[in-house]
Amino acid sequence: MQFIIVTRGAGETIMNNQHFVNKAFRIFVINSILSSAGVVLGTFVDAIILGNAFGEVGLSVLAVSMPIYMVYNLFGYAFGVGGSLKVAEAIGAEDKDGVRSYFTQALFFAAVVGLVIAVLGSFFLPTIIGLTGGAGIAAAGDYMWPIVITAPIFILAPVISLLIRSDADPFLSTLGISVSVIVNLVLDLIFIFGLNMGVFGGALAMVIGQCCALAVYAIHFFKKHNHLKLCQTSLSLKAGYQLFQGGFGIASAFIYQGITLVVINNLLSVTVGVGGLAVYNILFNVSLFAYAIFDGISLALAPLVATFAGEKDTEGVYNTMGLSLKTAVLLSFICALVLLIFAEPIAAMFGVADNLTLVAQTIRIFAFGVVQTCFNCVMAHFYQTIKRPTLAGIIYFMRGFLLLIAFSAWFIPVFGVLGTALAIVAAETATLAIL
């Protein structure tokens, strides 16, 4: 797989043909989809286990904690995507010093932001729980406390995963995420059912799983072809801002997700109650799993497009984009069909026998927005990669914030929990129409 990212000198023949793009894209997209699915599988597994172990309370605790994960993803993907794009461009331009500088900056700023969040979060945890709609859920603090104080781990994990993927090691990135999911699952079962540690056990299992992922990623730095090394470089606020801005167009989606989660959680708390939070958490986890496919395609195109751009290979850039859209449309249709056909079995996994029909209905409604979501996500990533972050930011602002909040405020008081799924479909469809 190393040959995909290794640059070609001026005297070498540049392979600007569809065969090369197809081969490179195929390798990256498989690993990227698996990696993206692995990232969301952690909370997905938690939702299944906590739902079966504690019912509505367990799912509600996850619902009010999801905005915290969105904050972590915001910084993890902003510094990770921004750093990985810079690293890929520097590799394409054969700039070894640039590669090491961007790698060092990405790790430093991610770690600093994580420490700040951990300190502030530990002081203001009750306020945070109240803001996310969990004021009446006593177990929320038990789950969120270990998640908050380990913020640096949750932010550094996606940063390093994205950086090593850009350094021609997508397999190790996928392996690290897979290991974290397996460890999380095993420890969930041990801590919750074996040791009766409650929701705290679920959070502890998640933290340990992330630590194991970091341990796997560390293997990359002992490999021969590794370009990622720490060095002395500028660690000014300007340097950090430039890295953050490089990935913000994509990562901004997590800001919008976090805010909309807070708004929707509070709307549901008022109109439906704890049961509504539980159903919405299931829908949210199912939607994240579907989005993982699109994110995987997008993350596959990003390092390839950035490398081709660094080589001034315009044909490679647009061949990759065309292949990404074709793949995205095909997989989105398959995903939508699976959700429509298997809505009941999917809902049953979360242990919600009393609300099984309602959960299945929300999943089926969401399925009608999958294709639109797929197109919007891939286009946003493409704009970000070709240095059009404003366009990427507009797409995420519309689909993940402005339109979603507007439709949620309209539909939830009228349709209850079903309104959450209707709002997603309406927001994605309207964004696609505008695009």
Side-chain angles (χ1 to χ4, degrees):
M1 290 182 287
Q2 182 179 348
F3 72 91
I4 296 171
I5 289 295
V6 170
T7 58
R8 294 153 291 206
E12 297 180 58
T13 302
I14 298 178
M15 294 168 28
N16 289 334
N17 56 68
Q18 191 65 43
H19 174 72
F20 175 80
V21 173
N22 287 348
K23 190 171 184 179
F25 181 78
R26 185 167 58 250
I27 293 173
F28 267 80
V29 78
I30 292 171
N31 284 284
S32 295
I33 289 175
L34 291 175
S35 295
S36 297
V39 170
V40 302
L41 195 56
T43 55
F44 192 85
V45 165
D46 268 4
I48 292 175
I49 292 178
L50 292 181
N52 282 278
F54 307 109
E56 290 184 349
V57 172
L59 290 169
S60 299
V61 166
L62 279 179
V64 299
S65 68
M66 289 312 297
I68 300 297
Y69 288 115
M70 295 304 107
V71 173
Y72 295 164
N73 288 338
L74 162 66
F75 290 104
Y77 276 82
F79 289 122
V81 172
S84 65
L85 291 178
K86 289 291 188 182
V87 164
E89 289 176 7
I91 291 175
E94 298 183 323
D95 179 8
K96 291 183 180 180
D97 291 336
V99 172
R100 295 176 181 182
S101 177
Y102 295 131
F103 169 68
T104 302
Q105 290 172 350
L107 290 191
F108 174 79
F109 291 112
V112 169
V113 169
L115 287 171
V116 171
I117 292 175
V119 172
L120 294 178
S122 62
F123 278 112
F124 299 103
L125 186 57
T127 302
I128 293 171
I129 293 173
L131 289 173
T132 57
I137 306 173
D142 294 336
Y143 183 86
M144 292 176 67
W145 178 75
I147 300 297
V148 166
I149 65 170
T150 54
I153 294 172
F154 283 92
I155 294 175
L156 280 169
V159 170
I160 298 177
S161 175
L162 289 165
L163 286 168
I164 65 174
R165 184 183 291 130
S166 290
D167 196 25
D169 209 349
F171 173 75
L172 191 65
S173 172
T174 304
L175 178 63
I177 294 170
S178 301
V179 168
S180 74
V181 172
I182 294 171
V183 170
N184 183 25
L185 172 60
V186 172
L187 293 182
D188 264 341
L189 296 174
I190 294 173
F191 292 162
I192 293 175
F193 295 105
L195 301 178
N196 295 318
M197 296 174 67
V199 295
F200 173 79
L204 185 60
M206 177 74 77
V207 172
I208 296 174
Q210 292 295 305
C211 291
C212 291
L214 289 174
V216 173
Y217 299 151
I219 296 172
H220 177 79
F221 305 114
F222 297 95
K223 293 186 175 181
K224 267 188 177 181
H225 72 268
N226 168 45
H227 295 89
L228 306 176
K229 302 181 189 303
L230 296 173
C231 69
Q232 289 188 342
T233 186
S234 172
L235 298 175
S236 65
L237 289 177
K238 181 180 179 181
Y241 173 75
Q242 288 175 340
L243 266 189
F244 183 84
Q245 186 183 40
F248 180 75
I250 294 171
S252 63
F254 297 112
I255 293 181
Y256 308 139
Q257 276 188 335
I259 296 174
T260 53
L261 279 169
V262 170
V263 172
I264 291 173
N265 283 349
N266 282 281
L267 282 171
L268 289 172
S269 294
V270 172
T271 59
V272 186
V274 173
L277 286 172
V279 174
Y280 177 59
N281 182 253
I282 295 173
L283 173 64
F284 184 75
N285 276 281
V286 171
S287 70
L288 284 182
F289 215 82
Y291 294 159
I293 298 173
F294 319 142
D295 285 338
I297 296 170
S298 302
L299 292 173
L301 78 85
L304 292 175
V305 167
T307 302
F308 287 134
E311 297 175 343
K312 311 299 181 185
D313 182 0
T314 305
E315 182 182 353
V317 169
Y318 286 102
N319 283 343
T320 303
M321 183 57 202
L323 185 59
S324 299
L325 282 177
K326 291 176 185 176
T327 305
V329 170
L330 174 63
L331 291 181
S332 65
F333 272 113
I334 294 173
C335 179
L337 285 175
V338 169
L339 293 177
L340 287 169
I341 296 171
F342 299 104
E344 277 88 1
I346 292 171
M349 290 192 301
F350 295 89
V352 287
D354 294 340
N355 288 321
L356 185 62
T357 301
L358 179 61
V359 175
Q361 286 178 333
T362 61
I363 292 173
R364 286 200 171 96
I365 292 171
F366 167 75
F368 287 99
V370 166
V371 176
Q372 302 94 302
T373 303
C374 177
F375 185 86
N376 294 338
C377 288
V378 173
M379 288 304 299
H381 273 74
F382 179 66
Y383 285 134
Q384 183 71 41
T385 305
I386 62 172
K387 298 183 179 179
R388 298 292 185 274
T390 301
L391 290 174
I394 288 173
I395 293 173
Y396 280 117
F397 176 75
M398 290 172 56
R399 61 177 286 269
F401 182 71
L402 181 65
L403 294 175
L404 184 55
I405 285 182
F407 284 120
S408 295
W410 180 9
F411 292 154
I412 290 175
V414 178
F415 301 103
V417 178
L418 293 178
T420 60
L422 289 169
I424 293 172
V425 176
E428 297 289 357
T429 304
T431 302
L432 176 61
I434 294 169
L435 274 174

